[in-house]
Amino acid sequence: MVYYILAFIVFLVDQGTKFLIATRMELREEIPVIGNFFVITSHRNSGAAFGILQDQRWFFIVVTIIVVVALIWYLQKVKDTPHKLLPVALSLVLGGAIGNFLDRALTGEVVDFVQLNFGSYTFPIFNIADSAICIGVALIVVETLLEGRREKAAAKIEGNEQHHE
């Protein structure tokens, strides 16, 4: 249950911040937070991450439903494992996916507002859901690498035990 609570918290924070941006700022309005490096910018995105696949609302809705069902199924499968990184990662992805899904289903676009500038380069504007998804995916990669190491260590121990018999 704790993993679903985590996903729900991600969803609530995402939706709350998007609501504040959508209701308190004009579209394209900017509020500098840390000079020109971190700027809150009211932006809408009808595509996927980084603005790709613009105006493909039904495609995203169908794909997200499939992904959410798969995430819940897999989370149920791994929630009782001794290593908690994977279920936490899946929870972050789940909460973020549902947050962006709700936006697309209701309005056909996602509210983005975090803008980071690195000199003359502006990173694509994103939101809390996008952040949770990216962090979750990164943690899945880390867990996969750690699991590979655990399997190698276990095989080495097993090999040593068989060698000593």
Side-chain angles (χ1 to χ4, degrees):
M1 190 66 174
V2 69
Y3 302 114
Y4 295 106
I5 292 170
L6 176 58
F8 188 62
I9 290 169
V10 168
F11 171 79
L12 288 177
V13 171
D14 174 64
Q15 290 299 298
T17 54
K18 289 174 179 174
F19 176 79
L20 289 173
I21 298 301
T23 60
R24 304 259 167 90
M25 292 180 71
E26 296 293 322
L27 193 58
R28 293 181 195 74
E29 182 181 349
E30 296 181 354
I31 301 172
V33 177
I34 302 175
N36 190 43
F37 170 69
F38 173 31
V39 180
I40 294 176
T41 302
S42 181
H43 179 74
R44 303 300 178 275
N45 179 2
S46 63
F50 311 119
I52 62 171
L53 298 172
Q54 289 291 318
D55 301 316
Q56 300 295 317
R57 180 181 188 178
W58 291 108
F59 171 77
F60 290 121
I61 288 173
V62 170
V63 168
T64 304
I65 290 170
I66 293 167
V67 167
V68 165
V69 168
L71 284 167
I72 291 170
W73 173 81
Y74 196 49
L75 187 54
Q76 282 300 115
K77 186 176 175 182
V78 300
K79 68 180 170 58
D80 295 324
T81 62
H83 307 290
K84 301 303 180 193
L85 189 57
L86 182 57
V88 166
L90 293 171
S91 298
L92 293 174
V93 175
L94 180 62
I98 293 171
N100 279 342
F101 171 81
L102 184 64
D103 289 358
R104 284 195 184 94
L106 295 178
T107 66
E109 61 187 11
V110 174
V111 176
D112 288 332
F113 58 90
V114 179
Q115 179 179 329
L116 300 174
N117 299 298
F118 302 92
S120 62
Y121 174 74
T122 298
F123 191 80
I125 303 170
F126 59 98
N127 59 41
I128 301 298
D130 299 334
S131 299
I133 292 168
C134 290
I135 292 167
V137 168
L139 292 176
I140 290 168
V141 170
V142 168
E143 174 58 25
T144 302
L145 295 172
L146 291 173
E147 183 61 27
R149 282 186 153 184
R150 287 191 289 265
E151 287 174 3
K152 280 184 182 178
K156 190 173 184 180
I157 290 169
E158 187 176 304
N160 287 341
E161 287 173 357
Q162 287 178 355
H163 181 73
H164 285 79
E165 288 178 8

